[in-house]
Structures are given as C-alpha cells and as structure tokens.
Amino acid sequence: MDAESKQQHVHAVFESIAPKYDFMNDVLSFRRHKAWRRFTMRKMEVQPGQKSLDLCCGTCDWTIALAKASGGEAVGLDFSRNMLNIGQAKVDKLGLGGQIKLVQGNAMELPFADNSFDYVTIGFGLRNVPDLMQVLREMKRVVKPGGKVVCLELSKPSWQPFKGLYYFYFEKLLPLLGKWLVKRYEQYRWLPESLAAFPDLQDLAERFRQVGLRNVRAYPLTGGIAALHIGTKGNDGA
Ligand SMILES: C[S@@+](CC[C@H](N)C(=O)[O-])C[C@H]1O[C@@H](n2cnc3c(N)ncnc32)[C@H](O)[C@@H]1O
C-alpha cells in the first residue's frame, strides 16, 4: 500500500469505528491498555505546569491524563473528526475545556512552531502513519530542548509459546471479534496488518536515536505485546 492509500485507509477505519473505539479497546486488550497508560504516566513524571502535545489523540484518554497530571495546557491532534468529537465530549464533561485544545490535523506535518512543548506523545498512532520517521522528526522538532518524545504502541512479543498463542489471537480471533461485536471485520483486520510492517522494540529505539533523540529508553509491556519508548531532545536543541 503506498503512503497516500495507507493514509486514506487509516482515516476511513477510524472514522468508521470511532463510536465503538473505547469499548473495543477494553475488550480486545482485556483492559491491559489501561495498565500500559498508567505505567507510561509514571515513567513520564510530568511536572506541574508542563505543556504537552498528544498526537493521534483519538478519543483523548492520554490527552486528558496529561492535562490532569500537569494542571497545565494539553493539545490533542488527530485527523479523524469522529474520533475528536468523542474526545471533545469527554473533555467537556470533565470541565477541562480551559486546559485542553483539540486540533484536526496531520501528524506528518505539525501546525506548531519549533520547541513548543515539554512533552510530545503518540499513543497507538505511530503504527498507523505513512512515514514513522517523518512523524518522529516532527515530534522532535516541536518538543523543547530537554523535553521528551514518548511513544506507547503495540509491539512484537519474541518468546515462545506466548508468541504463537498471541499471534493466533491477534491475527485470527481479533478481527472476528470486531465482526461479531461491532460488525467491523475489515477495520479490525487492519490492526494485525499495521503491526506487520512496524519495527520491534529495539528497532524502534534505534529509529528514535536516528532522528537525534537521546537517552532513549524502551520498555516491553505484557510480554512484549506493547512497548513504551521515551527519548529526550538535547538541551542544545540538536
Ligand atoms: C489507535 S487510535 C489511538 C487513539 C489514542 N491515541 C489512544 O491512545 O487511544 C489511532 C489514532 O490515530 C489517528 N491517526 C492516524 N494517522 C494519523 C495522521 N497521519 N495524522 C493524525 N492522526 C492520525 C487516527 O485517526 C486515530 O484516532
């Protein structure tokens, strides 16, 4: 699939599954994603007043967690209007409209100035973009010197027999659950397809280094089915 087709496909997938996205996340990950998000926030050590940008924010769970943790400003960016509408409803319900701004835009080309944010995050989004190096370069560009680029994403378990069992679930059963529960087989087939071409734990850490991020840390989660990567932009801005 070429870059343009991938982008259009991904956009169509999320426009279509938006109303059921949160429910299906809980079901398909056996609620593990909530533990991964809590682990991530602990490792980030967000400080009061810090400003964050959450790319591919979708229904905004991470954007909201960032705003709550800092008490400061958080910006969420996503290209799916339907996903953002659900996120905006959550933000409004929590009374966080003064802190959180949602922007419809493309993670490949960020509408923000250089050195603007203390944290730039991307949750389960990097696997979906047409060019992950371009997105990492953009994340590094808009984070402040000394700030952090953080990616929480599905990854590739390596040890048997867990690996075999997991891939049977992920590739065969998961799309069927999408079909049975929310009538979206093709959309949930995208999940294993998108992981196939995505780098594993060490390879993604190397990509972080290649864009110039420093002190890169990579944490496998739940036997390696997900991973957290954190990199720091040099204090010299390089
Ligand atoms: C799997 S969801 C993740 C949502 C949220 N970050 C979370 O942790 O639940 C992926 C999101 O990335 C968005 N997305 C994918 N490619 C994008 C791009 N190039 N620019 C902006 N958003 C994109 C989709 O619209 C979708 O909302």
Side-chain angles (χ1 to χ4, degrees), residues 33-44:
H33 75 106
K34 293 196 185 279
W36 301 337
R37 292 175 198 277
R38 283 194 299 271
F39 177 83
T40 298
M41 289 302 292
R42 282 200 301 275
K43 289 292 173 197
M44 287 173 70

Side-chain angles (χ1 to χ4, degrees), residues 10 14 21 37 56-58 78-80 83 105-107 123-124 128:
V10 168
F14 286 100
Y21 176 80
R37 292 175 198 277
C56 299
C57 64
D78 201 287
F79 68 8
S80 162
M83 293 289 277
N106 195 327
F124 309 101
N128 285 297

Side-chain angles (χ1 to χ4, degrees), residues 170-185:
F170 190 59
E171 290 173 356
K172 305 278 187 247
L173 296 183
L174 183 149
L176 289 174
L177 285 172
K179 177 177 165 183
W180 294 332
L181 294 173
V182 293
K183 299 186 174 51
R184 296 284 191 280
Y185 177 77

Side-chain angles (χ1 to χ4, degrees), residues 36-175:
W36 301 337
R37 292 175 198 277
R38 283 194 299 271
F39 177 83
T40 298
M41 289 302 292
R42 282 200 301 275
K43 289 292 173 197
M44 287 173 70
E45 298 177 343
V46 175
Q47 302 299 311
Q50 285 186 320
K51 183 176 172 184
S52 28
L53 168 66
D54 184 27
L55 298 184
C56 299
C57 64
T59 58
C60 294
D61 284 353
W62 201 357
T63 327
I64 289 168
L66 290 162
K68 283 183 174 172
S70 72
E73 196 182 328
V75 178
L77 177 139
D78 201 287
F79 68 8
S80 162
R81 176 45 58 198
N82 290 347
M83 293 289 277
L84 284 175
N85 286 346
I86 289 173
Q88 186 69 59
K90 287 185 197 171
V91 170
D92 294 344
K93 195 170 168 194
L94 290 165
L96 290 173
Q99 260 178 276
I100 297 180
K101 181 178 167 214
L102 299 185
V103 175
Q104 187 173 22
N106 195 327
M108 299 276 290
E109 212 175 332
L110 297 178
F112 306 108
D114 299 0
N115 308 323
S116 298
F117 301 93
D118 296 291
Y119 284 94
V120 182
T121 63
I122 185 162
F124 309 101
L126 202 54
R127 187 175 29 89
N128 285 297
V129 300
D131 181 348
L132 75 93
M133 294 303 281
Q134 166 66 14
V135 171
L136 288 178
R137 277 192 294 273
E138 279 291 85
M139 293 175 83
K140 187 187 163 218
R141 179 181 69 75
V142 301
V143 81
K144 291 176 186 173
K148 290 189 171 60
V149 168
V150 185
C151 172
L152 176 60
E153 186 50 277
L154 296 179
S155 191
K156 299 179 175 178
S158 54
W159 52 279
Q160 294 288 15
F162 178 70
K163 178 181 169 182
L165 280 171
Y166 174 69
Y167 277 115
F168 176 72
Y169 165 72
F170 190 59
E171 290 173 356
K172 305 278 187 247
L173 296 183
L174 183 149

Side-chain angles (χ1 to χ4, degrees), residues 173-228:
L173 296 183
L174 183 149
L176 289 174
L177 285 172
K179 177 177 165 183
W180 294 332
L181 294 173
V182 293
K183 299 186 174 51
R184 296 284 191 280
Y185 177 77
E186 288 304 323
Q187 289 82 352
Y188 280 95
R189 219 183 53 169
W190 170 248
L191 214 62
E193 281 174 6
S194 62
L195 186 63
F198 193 68
D200 66 15
L201 183 85
Q202 296 307 337
D203 191 5
L204 185 56
E206 187 50 35
R207 309 289 180 108
F208 268 53
R209 289 184 201 101
Q210 281 170 9
V211 298
L213 291 163
R214 302 180 188 172
N215 191 23
V216 177
R217 290 177 281 155
Y219 303 89
L221 302 167
T222 314
I225 66 176
L228 167 65

